[in-house]
Amino acid sequence: MVIPKGMKTDILDTLADSMSKISPYPERQHYENVANALVEKHPSLKEPGSGKGWYGWFHSLKFKLGNYRQKLSAAGCPEVRVNKRIGEDAKGPRVKKSKKGEVHYCPDPPEGLSAEDMEGKRRMIEVEMLKKDLDHQQIEELMSATFSKRRKEIVGDQPLIGDVMTRWPAMFCERQVRAEFKRIVSTDILESFLNGLDDLVPRLLEVYEAVTKSGKKPALKAILDCVKKDNTNERRRTAALLGLPHYLSEDPSDIIRMCDAHGESLAAAMKGMQLGLLIGYEGDNQDAFPEVFDVAVVVEENIVLHNFKDVPSSFTMLLGIIYCVNLEYPRAMKYSFEFLQRVVMKIKPDEASARVHGVRNKLLRYKL
């Protein structure tokens, strides 16, 4: 079929509108899937000079979405406007796109709610958090209604963690971290993390054991020795998580720190800590990981969450905080966090780096 120019434009406009409602920034595989589905649904649109029959549609869609994003930006779409370079920022890189599989990265405001309405609801959250007996149901509803405003501030303005805690105090509790993560990724973080971890723990420990037999990675061997002394499920989970950076040849010393719960001051223990876990223990620390007294999640030398009695739950909340306040994975453990995201939680698993993909393949060979 010879397609008139006007008809092709109408087709591309319709596809671009539908795709942008899911994400203004589709990936290559999404363009390919849409172009392929188009010619399968309408065989008369196949291109005779193309081997697959849709390669031209693929390129046309990419250009059309680029133009469509300019229209969305002019119309005030938050997820697109946040990437717009203005004034002095026009010369430097200022890309703020979804990077960790976020489904709702910077969503539009709810219909019928103005910026003033959402600011009023934000103040209501502050007032509610001052009460002794919190109304969790009301807080949940207010947090859900102000989600768009919160993401616009966090993604667009990139405030310090102290400012976020002041403006959105309700977000820094386990219940709201889980709720916020579900709004962003549409997944329950605690259930997904622990279920995925339990599936992998036996194979991870087997892989760790194999690599230590050659005398390499003494820190990893010390962690495995702790499990042999106490082979409970919680200790096995802890060993799998604490051993992961050592197995991936990363240095976790600035991200995972241990301190005597009744010894050194918190300020000294957190000094220079930009993101990570502070694990408090009681008594002498003779093992690679002692009995946990309390675990705190630290961001920019501030404790944002605490009172966790086990490492797996605190690791889950650390990952949740990274998503909630739009942080980058710490460079010293970026492959470990990528593994947790793509392999343990299966968020964007097909986009794993070569190192993480290699570890995943190795684990598949250790089927128990």
Side-chain angles (χ1 to χ4, degrees):
M1 178 181 177
V2 178
I3 307 169
K5 184 176 180 180
M7 179 184 291
K8 184 172 183 179
T9 300
D10 290 342
I11 293 171
L12 292 171
D13 283 339
T14 303
L15 292 174
D17 181 60
S18 298
M19 293 174 71
S20 67
K21 289 176 181 176
I22 300 172
S23 172
Y25 297 97
E27 297 163 10
R28 181 184 178 90
Q29 64 183 26
H30 299 144
Y31 289 112
E32 292 179 348
N33 291 341
V34 172
N36 185 37
L38 176 67
V39 298
E40 283 187 357
K41 180 73 173 178
H42 305 283
S44 59
L45 297 180
K46 282 189 176 181
E47 301 159 333
S50 171
K52 296 181 179 178
W54 49 259
Y55 206 62
W57 287 107
F58 162 75
H59 283 288
S60 296
L61 270 174
K62 289 189 70 175
F63 284 112
K64 177 59 69 174
L65 256 295
N67 294 332
Y68 202 77
R69 279 194 292 270
Q70 293 182 355
K71 296 179 182 179
L72 290 174
S73 178
C77 175
E79 192 166 355
V80 179
R81 282 191 64 83
V82 77
N83 292 310
K84 188 175 181 180
R85 295 179 173 87
I86 302 173
E88 295 179 359
D89 294 335
K91 297 179 181 179
R94 191 170 178 268
V95 180
K96 297 178 181 176
K97 301 177 185 176
S98 167
K99 294 180 180 179
K100 299 187 291 292
E102 296 95 333
V103 177
H104 300 111
Y105 185 59
C106 192
D108 293 323
E111 290 186 14
L113 277 182
S114 65
E116 292 76 15
D117 293 333
M118 286 191 285
E119 178 61 20
K121 291 181 180 295
R122 187 196 67 78
R123 293 197 187 99
M124 290 173 65
I125 295 174
E126 286 184 325
V127 172
E128 185 63 33
M129 290 301 295
L130 296 175
K131 297 179 181 178
K132 184 176 180 180
D133 297 321
L134 301 180
D135 186 340
H136 292 288
Q137 182 63 35
Q138 183 184 17
I139 292 174
E140 183 82 26
E141 292 171 358
L142 292 171
M143 288 289 285
S144 181
T146 54
F147 176 56
S148 170
K149 177 180 179 64
R150 188 162 54 255
R151 291 300 291 176
K152 185 177 179 182
E153 289 181 8
I154 290 172
V155 175
D157 300 336
Q158 296 180 315
L160 296 173
I161 191 65
D163 296 333
V164 180
M165 293 176 73
T166 300
R167 284 185 60 78
W168 303 99
M171 192 166 68
F172 297 92
C173 65
E174 181 177 348
R175 179 173 181 154
Q176 283 306 316
V177 170
R178 292 179 67 177
E180 189 81 350
F181 186 88
K182 195 162 189 176
R183 296 182 194 108
I184 297 169
V185 188
S186 301
T187 301
D188 184 283
I189 185 171
L190 191 61
E191 181 181 339
S192 176
F193 187 93
L194 295 182
N195 287 345
L197 182 62
D198 286 341
D199 288 341
L200 294 170
V201 162
R203 279 174 270 177
L204 279 170
L205 295 182
E206 286 277 343
V207 171
Y208 295 170
E209 188 72 41
V211 78
T212 56
K213 287 181 179 178
S214 61
K216 298 178 181 178
K217 303 186 185 296
L220 189 56
K221 185 178 186 304
I223 290 172
L224 293 175
D225 289 342
C226 291
V227 178
K228 293 173 183 177
K229 295 178 183 178
D230 182 4
N231 196 22
T232 60
N233 185 48
E234 182 184 318
R235 300 278 283 183
R236 288 166 63 83
R237 283 175 170 176
T238 301
L241 290 169
L242 296 184
L244 184 61
H246 295 290
Y247 179 74
L248 292 170
S249 300
E250 295 181 313
D251 180 10
S253 57
D254 286 336
I255 293 94
I256 302 172
R257 292 186 184 177
M258 298 190 186
C259 69
D260 186 344
H262 305 296
E264 59 186 310
S265 67
L266 285 176
M270 294 187 297
K271 187 175 181 180
M273 200 171 183
Q274 291 302 304
L275 177 68
L277 296 177
L278 187 62
I279 303 173
Y281 60 87
E282 287 186 306
D284 295 331
N285 179 17
Q286 301 294 333
D287 294 329
F289 58 95
E291 290 295 330
V292 172
F293 175 75
D294 185 17
V295 186
V297 177
V298 178
V299 181
E300 296 172 5
E301 298 186 2
N302 288 281
I303 292 179
V304 297
L305 287 168
H306 62 100
N307 286 336
F308 295 103
K309 302 306 178 185
D310 63 277
V311 172
S313 296
S314 57
F315 244 107
T316 309
M317 290 300 107
L318 173 60
L319 190 62
I321 285 291
I322 288 173
Y323 274 82
C324 290
V325 295
N326 194 40
L327 301 174
E328 297 286 340
Y329 291 147
R331 186 178 294 274
M333 275 180 61
K334 66 176 183 178
Y335 291 112
S336 296
F337 280 99
E338 185 192 346
F339 180 89
L340 297 178
Q341 174 199 325
R342 302 193 190 280
V343 182
V344 174
M345 298 192 66
K346 300 179 177 63
I347 299 173
K348 296 277 184 174
D350 297 333
E351 298 178 17
S353 63
R355 186 182 296 192
V356 171
H357 185 69
V359 174
R360 178 172 54 193
N361 287 344
K362 185 175 289 187
L363 290 176
L364 291 175
R365 293 196 291 269
Y366 275 83
K367 288 190 176 180
L368 301 177

